[in-house]
């Protein structure tokens, strides 16, 4: 029973004889050890076998360590040998080391004197008469030495003499000192090395405590506690241990019914704990006093102040104690903190309470409370302790007394010692009677709990214990609940299970009609369904019980319990599930309950789902088909919408691996499942499950791998078509009719098909090559089939489904779906891979078809072609790369040119054009910035002009440069191709290659995608035009505002040429003018104004009806567009940026070199500004008189003189307008227009800054000086214009304000930078004022002065 221990320094076990202990008084007084050999090393040993009965004696040699080991057991001193002062002792407790590992062992200073036992008493009396205490000590030590030498058979005379001496003269064994000098005496004896005196003094202190249990001396109490703190080793001697243990026994001299004051007992416990805290082997006497107190008054066993000491003693029993929450026996009234533990009078008086409370508080500081101090203490004495405990318990239980007269304390002791199997066996035989005894109920319940918790060996004894536990009968609900709580422990599980199974087998195997089963049996089965055998027995009879009206209710409960407990997924539970699947139920109530139970079965274990699906499908395909299979499968799909389809797909995979061809049956089964489950299945999860790679042996060693791949492909296409519900079909028909409502179902279906196709292409790319090396023809067939680009008959040839009336419609619905980025990228990767049988040309053809097909399904509520990875461009271009045969060696040092197959090259650009149109932010922007050829194609579709060079090239010089460069590139390309083909021919046919016999010249083209734009062949241009018309690519690109390709083109062209293509763009915008840039709207307005001007003289009578309709539509569009522009300028949401953009577009054209362009710009401004101003008549009446007069003189320019200054954000555009007009006066040829410009500049030109004022004066001066023709027209004496005076006044106003400003300039300010041309002059007035001005300004002013003052209009005489 003792486990091996690691080598360590230990205290020796007891060396006392195993005889009966002497009376309590003798032990209470302690004993002194003597040795006949002076200065020997006597071991102060701890008792190990004291008091054991004679029939269990052991040899002394077995418990005595060697002398060498004894000498090494001394502890390190706990405290300095210098005694502390009386005031500082308590203060130094916290700073002192706790103690050393073992008690110190020193040589005694008393020499033992051996005398004959017969004269022992006489020698003591003689020495006492002489007052020779040393001789008394020597004689007693000599007597002890004789006893130690004859442990097995001590001298009877000596034995009795010592007992008699203890009765009449107990003082000779203990040295009583005053409590006040106790510590000093101990320190003095320790300084002398007199261990016997230390032991005597401590025994004397114990004697004083024993004599005053009711009211121990406080000084003595605290002194012992302090001593235990600083020198715990002094208590670890045999005599002191026995003396302290005597304090733990009941004092028979106190005749009180109450337990008495437990202060002394608590002190003794804590002193012993302090002495033995570091030891692993404790003396057996502790167990004995523990059992005495446990069976007696339990004075200290139940005290919380002694808990650590008691817990360490209980380790001897190896008992697993129940947690406090499970113990019903409270310890109230038993705590060491209660001064009285009972209801009887206490020996202490009320005035003593205060002192006792102080002692308890001090004791709590001494009491160790760290749970870490609990450790096994009796491993070496385990056998003897067990024998002792069993002897005591047998004696207690076998007494002749009524069985119900057992004390509670005995039950508590049994609870603490249930770690012994014999104790468990003794206790369980009487436990039922104790539980039913009201006086013993609480401790008996604790005993039951402890017994169940420690029944952990599963030997024959524990089997018998379990057998007796099962037989216990309890009626009160409280006891029954506690009993159930106790038997829940797993140690009883196996025996209980066997017992339950035996009972159920006996009940079920009886010879009786099957329908004669009692309801209670079904209820018992319901309660015991936690056992797999019970589930297996119950499920075999469950269908019959469910159909029995008498048993329906309990059978339903049994079904539910069976499903909820089917949670192991072992072979038994799989058989249970198999039997559950076979149950056939017709009544709707039972069927609904059955489906509810199926849900619980799926919740019971995660693997039940796959097993359930598999068994249902196999049952559906069997001859004994259950009509409820589809409803069960529907329930499973509803319960696990994500996982169930995957498990269903795995079952279909299993079917396709059979040697027999199950494809036709699988198609029919799948259609039936979808029909019965009302399409409530996640088709994407199901298809992904079909494509999962399987690692099982049956799949690795599959014989028909190619057939498996082809059939899985077929099931994928069937699954996609099965996703067409009635709602999807109806929405598809409505979409074909042009109705755009209730499209959510159709859009969801289209996205679902796109996702499945993406997964299918992944499967063909990543999984299929690992399954089998499928032939090229079959591989390409599978790829085309999942993408619905295969011949229609391949989809219905197996079973003529879909029906003929729906075939084309279903195939079209499944093909007109979005194309996901992953699908497109993976097709390109497959084409680039040399390990897969799809070639680059086929991959390009397939990708081109899919892109155009997806683009044809475009809709505002559906993303059909979303691509974000720029790598797509390189992947597409890599497909068209030409690779020469690998077996041909080219000359060393020759670098072949980068060539592409021409047909694939232009097909790639068209594919990328479509992708860029649908993804302008990513692909479109990358193409615009980095691929000039693709940018050119984008501009072509945006402008709807398919010429080369494109119409977006503004000037003729650039066009000529592009044409010449294309000729150079083409010539260089031809030369490179001929040279390359010559090298290829030289390595193979040795043929001389010329342009006439070249094979590659017509098939290849240079591959430089980031080089200059190449001229597309006419056929390609026709394809671009066709694509743009069918897919509206230009509209998509023009609609992009970020990046804004359209604005880039407009700004690049500026006013250099008209842009008629904008008209078509705006006309096709279908009212969504907000998405077009304002520059585009302005250009369209100008284009319409030009058309109106050219057709103003046309007669409406000559127009056809169709032309009139188009004209009205155009006018309506113009009104809509004009309203949009006016709203941008005058509306409540007008902002500075938009106002500037609109006006800047028109104002820049005022300085155009073309008269028509200037006229259109003024007409556009007039439309935008005047139409807006006419809406507000009230403001028009409030015009200033000056503006009214000017507007009357120039009625065609009220947009400039009246309406423009009234813009809400006019201040933001003043500078912009003035700058444009200052440039326009140098190019404009119409005098009236120049007059309006000058009048406006005189009134609204910003002259706050000197530089702006200088520019204005200089520009006007240049007009006067350099454009004499215009000046003559304005101020000729032969022609009097009504606006001439207004213009002259405006000019005078401009220059007079300029002169005033310049004369105010401080001297020394450089307003002009001096140069060699010296175009500045210095002016000085007679008043002394000076100014520096441009010479043209001075010249202009001189010319103005020659014109005289402005004249009134009446003075003008027409010439």
């Amino acid at each position: 029973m003792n486990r091996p221990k690691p080598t360590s320094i230990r205290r020796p076990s007891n060396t006392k004889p195993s005889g009966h202990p002497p009376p309590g008084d003798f032990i209470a007084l302690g004993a002194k050890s003597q040795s006949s050999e002076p200065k020997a090393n006597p071991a102060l040993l701890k008792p190990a076998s004291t008091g054991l009965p004679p029939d269990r004696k052991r040899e002394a040699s077995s418990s005595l360590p060697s002398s060498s080991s004894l000498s090494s057991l001394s502890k390190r001193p706990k405290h300095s040998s210098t005694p502390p002062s009386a005031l500082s002792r308590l203060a130094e407790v916290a700073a002192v080391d706790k103690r050393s590992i073992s008690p110190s062992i020193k040589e005694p200073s008393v020499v033992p004197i051996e005398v004959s036992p017969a004269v022992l008493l006489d020698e003591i009396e003689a020495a006492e008469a002489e007052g020779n205490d040393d001789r008394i000590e020597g004689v007693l030590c000599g007597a002890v030495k004789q006893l130690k030498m004859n442990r097995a058979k001590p001298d009877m005379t000596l034995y009795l003499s010592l007992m008699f001496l203890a009765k009449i003269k107990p003082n000779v064994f203990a040295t009583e000192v005053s409590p006040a000098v106790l510590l000093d005496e101990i320190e003095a004896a320790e300084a002398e090395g007199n261990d016997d005196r230390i032991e005597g003094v401590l025994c004397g202190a114990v004697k004083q405590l024993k004599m005053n249990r009711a009211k121990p001396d406080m000084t003595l109490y605290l002194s012992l506690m302090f001593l235990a703190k600083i020198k715990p080793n002094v208590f670890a001697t045999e005599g002191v241990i026995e003396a302290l243990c005597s304090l733990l026994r009941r004092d028979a001299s106190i005749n009180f019914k109450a337990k008495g004051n437990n202060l002394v007992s608590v002190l003794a416990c804590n002193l012993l704990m302090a002495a033995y805290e570091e030891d692993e082997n404790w003396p057996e006497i502790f167990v004995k006093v523990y059992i005495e107190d446990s069976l007696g008054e339990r004075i200290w066993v139940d005290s919380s102040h002694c808990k650590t000491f008691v817990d360490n003693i209980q380790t001897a029993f190896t008992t697993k104690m129940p947690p406090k929450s499970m113990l019903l026996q409270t310890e109230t009234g038993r705590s060491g903190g209660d001064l009285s533990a009972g209801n009887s009078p206490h020996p202490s008086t009320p005035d003593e309470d205060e002192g006792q409370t102080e002692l308890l508080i001090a004791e709590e500081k001494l009491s160790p409370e760290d749970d870490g101090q609990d450790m096994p203490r009796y491993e070496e004495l385990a056998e003897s302790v067990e024998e002792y405990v069993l002897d005591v318990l047998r004696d207690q239980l076998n007494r002749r007394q009524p069985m119900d007269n057992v004390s509670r304390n005995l039950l508590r002791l049994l609870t603490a010692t249930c770690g012994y199997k014999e104790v468990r066996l003794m206790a369980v035989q009487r436990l039922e009677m104790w539980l039913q005894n009201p006086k013993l109920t609480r401790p008996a319940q604790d005993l039951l709990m402890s017994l169940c918790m420690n029944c952990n060996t599963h030997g024959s004894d524990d089997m018998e214990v379990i057998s007796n536990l099962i037989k216990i009968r309890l009626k009160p609900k409280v006891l029954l609940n506690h009993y159930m709580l106790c038997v829940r422990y797993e140690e009883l599980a196996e025996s209980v299970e066997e017992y339950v199974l035996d009972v159920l087998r006996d009940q079920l195997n009886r010879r009786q009609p099957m329908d004669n089963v009692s309801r209670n049996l079904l209820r018992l089965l319901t309660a015991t369904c936690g056992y797999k055998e019970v589930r297996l027995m119950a499920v075999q009879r469950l269908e019959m019980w469910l159909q029995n009206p008498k048993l329906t209710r309990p059978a339903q409960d049994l079904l539910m319990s069976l499903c909820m407990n089917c949670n192991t997924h072992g072979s038994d539970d799989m058989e249970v599930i198999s039997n559950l699947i076979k149950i056939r139920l017709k009544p709707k109530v039972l069927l609904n309950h059955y489906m509810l139970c199926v849900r619980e079965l799926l919740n019971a274990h995660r693997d039940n789902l796959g097993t359930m699906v598999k068994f249902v499908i196999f049952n559906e395909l069997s001859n004994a088909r259950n009509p409820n299979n589809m409803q069960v499968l529907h329930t499973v799909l509803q319960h696990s919408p994500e996982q169930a389809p995957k498990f269903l797909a795995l079952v279909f995979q299993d079917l396709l691996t059979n040697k027999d061809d199950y494809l036709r049956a699988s198609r029919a089964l799948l259609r039936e499942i979808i029909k019965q489950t009302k399409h409530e299945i996640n088709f994407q999860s199901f298809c992904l499950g079909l494509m999962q790679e399987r690692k099982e042996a049956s799949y690795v060693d599959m014989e028909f791998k190619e057939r498996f791949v082809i059939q899985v492909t077929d099931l994928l296409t069937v699954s996609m078509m099965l996703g067409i519900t009635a709602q999807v079909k109806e929405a598809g028909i409505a979409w074909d009719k042009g109705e755009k409502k209730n499209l959510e179902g159709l859009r969801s279906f289209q996205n679902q098909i796109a996702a499945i196709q993406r997964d299918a292409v992944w499967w063909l790319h990543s999984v299929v090559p690992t399954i089998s090396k499928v032939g090229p023809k079959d591989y390409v067939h599978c790829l085309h089939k999942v993408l619905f680009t295969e011949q229609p008959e391949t989809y219905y040839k197996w079973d003529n489904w879909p029906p003929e009336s729906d075939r084309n419609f279903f195939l079209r619905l499944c093909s007109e779906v979005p194309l996901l980025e992953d699908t497109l990228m993976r097709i390109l990767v497959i084409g680039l891979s040399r390990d897969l049988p799809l070639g680059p040309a086929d991959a390009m053809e397939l990708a081109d078809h899919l892109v155009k097909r997806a683009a044809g399904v475009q809709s505002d509520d559906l993303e059909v072609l979303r691509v974000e990875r720029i790598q797509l461009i390189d992947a597409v271009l890599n497909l068209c790369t030409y690779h020469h045969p690998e077996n041909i060696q080219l000359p060393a040092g020759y670098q072949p040119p980068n060539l592409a197959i021409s047909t694939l090259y232009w097909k790639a650009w068209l594919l990328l054009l479509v992708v860029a149109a649908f993804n302008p932010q990513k692909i479109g922007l990358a193409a615009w910035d980095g691929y000039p050829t693709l940018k050119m194609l984008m501009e072509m579709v945006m402008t709807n002009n398919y010429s080369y060079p494109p119409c977006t090239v503004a000037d003729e010089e650039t066009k000529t440069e592009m044409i010449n460069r294309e000729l150079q590139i083409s010539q260089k390309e031809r030369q490179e191709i001929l040279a390359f083909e010559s090298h290829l021919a030289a390595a193979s046919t040795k043929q001389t290659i010329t342009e006439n016999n070249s094979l590659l010249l017509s098939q290849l083209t240079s591959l430089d995608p980031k080089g200059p734009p190449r001229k597309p062949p006419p056929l390609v241009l026709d394809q671009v035009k066709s694509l743009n018309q069918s897919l509206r690519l230009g509209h998509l690109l023009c609609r992009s505002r970020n990046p804004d390709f359209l604005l880039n083109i407009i700004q690049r062209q500026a006013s250099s040429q008209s842009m008629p293509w904008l008209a078509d763009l705006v006309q096709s915008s279908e009212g969504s003018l907000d998405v077009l840039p304002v520059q585009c709207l302005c250009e369209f307005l100008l284009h319409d104004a030009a058309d109106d001007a050219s057709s103003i003289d046309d007669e409406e009578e000559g127009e056809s009806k169709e032309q009139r309709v188009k004209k009205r539509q155009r006018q309506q569009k113009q009104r809509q567009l004009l309203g949009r522009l006016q709203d941008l300028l005058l509306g409540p949401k007008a902002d500075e940026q938009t106002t500037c953009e609109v006006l800047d577009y028109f104002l820049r054209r005022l300085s155009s070199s073309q008269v028509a362009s200037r006229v259109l710009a003024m007409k556009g401004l007039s439309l935008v500004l005047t139409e807006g101003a006419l809406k507000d008549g009230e403001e028009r009446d409030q015009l200033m008189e000056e503006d009214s007069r000017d507007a009357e003189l120039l009625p065609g320019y009220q947009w400039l003189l009246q309406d423009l200054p009234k813009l809400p954000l006019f201040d933001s555009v003043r500078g912009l307008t003035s700058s444009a007009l200052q440039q326009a006066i140098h190019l404009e040829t119409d005098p009236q227009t120049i007059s309006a410009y000058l009048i406006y500049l005189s009134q609204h030109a910003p002259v706050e800054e000197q530089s702006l004022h200088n520019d204005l004066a200089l520009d006007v001066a240049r007009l006067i000086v350099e454009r004499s023709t215009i000046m003559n027209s304005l101020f000729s004496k032969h022609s009097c214009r009504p606006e001439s005076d207004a213009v002259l006044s405006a000019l005078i106003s401009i220059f007079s304000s300029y002169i005033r400003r310049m004369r105010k300039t401080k001297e020394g300010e450089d307003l002009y930078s001096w140069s060699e041309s010296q175009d500045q002059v210095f002016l000085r007035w007679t008043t002394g004022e000076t100014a520096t001005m441009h010479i043209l300004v001075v010249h202009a002013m001189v010319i103005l002065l020659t014109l005289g003052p402005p004249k009134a209009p009446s003075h003008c005489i027409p010439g």
Side-chain angles (χ1 to χ4, degrees), residues 1049-1066:
I1049 296 175
I1050 294 174
Q1051 290 176 343
R1052 190 152 30 104
Q1053 285 190 277
S1055 59
S1056 60
Q1057 64 181 38
S1058 63
M1059 293 176 272
W1061 50 270
L1062 280 178
D1064 297 332
L1065 174 64
V1066 177

Side-chain angles (χ1 to χ4, degrees), residues 1293-1320:
S1293 173
I1294 292 173
F1295 286 110
S1296 60
S1297 65
Y1298 182 66
I1299 290 176
R1300 283 194 297 270
R1301 181 169 192 156
M1302 297 302 291
R1303 291 175 67 178
K1304 290 181 180 178
T1305 305
K1306 295 180 181 179
E1307 187 174 356
E1309 286 188 7
D1310 292 335
L1311 302 178
Y1312 293 97
S1313 59
W1314 291 93
S1315 63
E1316 293 181 359
S1317 62
Q1318 295 185 357
D1319 50 1
Q1320 289 90 21

Side-chain angles (χ1 to χ4, degrees), residues 241-257:
I241 294 303
E242 291 189 3
L244 290 174
C245 286
S246 70
L247 295 178
L248 298 179
R249 293 190 170 94
R250 173 69 173 171
D251 191 352
S253 62
I254 301 178
N255 296 320
F256 284 98
K257 294 182 180 180

